[in-house]
Amino acid sequence: MAEKNFFEQKKTINVKGKLIDLSTPKVMGILNITPDSFYSDSRTRSIYEALSKAEKFLEQGATFIDIGGYSSRPGAADITVAEELYRMVPVVEAIATTLPEAIISIDTFRAQVAEETIYAGAHIINDISAGDMDEEMFDMVAKLQVPYIIMHMQGTPQNMQQNPVYQNVTLEVVDNLARKVAKLRSLKIHDVIIDPGFGFGKTLEHNYQLLNELEAFKIFQLPILVGFSRKGMIHKVLGNTANEALNGTTVLNTIALQKGAGILRVHDVKEAVECVKLVERLSFG
């Protein structure tokens, strides 16, 4: 019984007073407000297009819309805070006003962007650096009191894939996130979601070891988010491209759900929602 309780994951997050139940896995749709995201079909060039995509994601069953204005693909160019805000704030305001049922996640590592987009109507901060790229981020999340997704990344988007090295990738990622979780709890930040950071400072071997050992992250008793969608860890193995990697994405999402993932971050919401439904059927017979 003690072992069961120790590994029992947190099942809800509080989004502005509304409890979101993660006992059934949820889907997060990716909305890139960038001109250079690695998957070209995900790039959104206008507020109208962003609204159209967000509405489609909700109709297909997404619980969260993750909006990013800073491309984090390997080797991506750095942009200023002002440029990131210029891309993000109008889209957040438009979606929050037009689609009030949407739960908006902000993909940023910058405290100022987090603050201004939350005030514009967003609900969750999704930080690829888990506070490493802006020392003010943890205090900002504590001030805002919003759910916070912390992802593991070795290096920065500009250099993370140059030579990632680990002795044991799973142990090192767990250790890194454990230290972050302890700090966040000391700041009274309780709605934390963890992301192992597939593709962020990891080789193919590192990525597949992390997936194979994903159950290790249950030790946190926190929701686990995974993001494989159309990434190189799929198409480099299959010998195809990001445009052809939907089937591979679904395979990895299925494995991750069976290993305890609670949120799938994807470009293709419909297929991910179907994946959740089918894997959940295994639980109930």
Side-chain angles (χ1 to χ4, degrees):
M1 180 63 71
E3 182 179 350
K4 179 179 184 297
N5 290 337
F6 182 72
F7 286 104
E8 186 175 352
Q9 289 176 265
K10 191 173 187 289
K11 298 298 186 184
T12 61
I13 57 172
N14 187 329
V15 179
K16 292 190 176 179
K18 179 181 179 181
L19 288 180
I20 305 301
D21 181 9
L22 297 175
S23 58
T24 297
K26 301 295 188 287
V27 172
M28 173 180 282
I30 300 169
L31 190 57
N32 288 321
I33 316 299
T34 56
D36 58 342
S37 296
F38 77 90
Y39 177 43
S40 60
D41 285 357
S42 73
R43 300 169 191 167
T44 306
R45 298 167 181 81
S46 69
I47 293 176
Y48 174 80
E49 188 178 356
L51 279 170
S52 178
K53 284 188 176 182
E55 185 174 26
K56 181 179 178 181
F57 285 165
L58 294 176
E59 289 173 352
Q60 291 178 335
T63 299
F64 309 103
I65 308 294
D66 192 50
I67 305 175
Y70 183 110
S71 177
S72 56
R73 63 176 175 80
D78 192 22
I79 64 169
T80 65
V81 171
E83 176 64 21
E84 190 176 355
L85 286 168
Y86 174 77
R87 294 176 180 180
M88 298 275 279
V89 171
V91 172
V92 172
E93 290 176 339
I95 292 175
T97 301
T98 308
L99 302 168
E101 70 275 25
I103 301 174
I104 302 170
S105 166
I106 296 299
D107 183 358
T108 188
F109 56 82
R110 290 165 163 160
Q112 183 181 345
V113 175
E115 180 176 38
E116 295 195 29
T117 52
I118 290 296
Y119 290 154
H123 308 91
I124 298 169
I125 299 302
N126 180 12
D127 181 358
I128 61 170
S129 80
D132 284 345
M133 294 178 71
D134 188 338
E135 62 183 12
E136 297 180 4
M137 181 62 95
F138 280 16
D139 288 335
M140 179 58 69
V141 175
K143 171 186 172 182
L144 296 171
Q145 281 299 303
V146 294
Y148 184 41
I149 301 167
I150 55 170
M151 192 194 79
H152 177 273
M153 175 172 61
Q154 188 180 93
T156 69
Q158 288 71 41
N159 63 28
M160 62 187 179
Q161 290 304 112
Q162 289 177 8
N163 186 34
V165 175
Y166 303 86
Q167 294 299 312
N168 184 309
V169 65
T170 302
L171 291 178
E172 291 177 49
V173 172
V174 167
D175 178 68
N176 177 274
L177 292 177
R179 287 183 278 110
K180 302 295 179 67
V181 169
K183 176 64 174 176
L184 292 169
R185 284 177 170 158
S186 75
L187 293 170
K188 310 300 183 186
I189 300 168
H190 300 293
D191 285 311
V192 178
I193 298 164
I194 59 171
D195 179 351
F198 292 96
F200 284 80
K202 283 100 177 168
T203 64
L204 281 178
E205 290 75 18
H206 296 147
N207 286 320
Y208 282 97
Q209 182 181 339
L210 280 173
L211 176 55
N212 191 46
E213 299 172 350
L214 191 65
E215 291 97 337
F217 293 88
K218 291 182 181 180
I219 194 170
F220 294 106
Q221 303 180 55
L222 295 170
I224 300 168
L225 181 149
V226 295
F228 310 112
S229 189
R230 297 181 180 270
K231 286 183 176 177
M233 67 178 288
I234 298 168
H235 58 79
K236 288 177 182 177
V237 172
L238 299 179
N240 54 23
T241 67
N243 287 342
E244 301 166 313
L246 175 56
N247 185 57
T249 299
T250 300
V251 171
L252 297 195
N253 281 339
T254 301
I255 295 168
L257 289 170
Q258 292 176 317
K259 289 176 173 287
I263 301 174
L264 303 178
R265 183 179 181 273
V266 298
H267 299 94
D268 307 279
V269 168
K270 177 178 179 289
E271 290 80 0
V273 169
E274 290 176 351
C275 186
V276 169
K277 289 179 179 178
L278 291 173
V279 172
E280 282 296 290
R281 178 60 62 178
L282 292 175
S283 303
F284 300 108

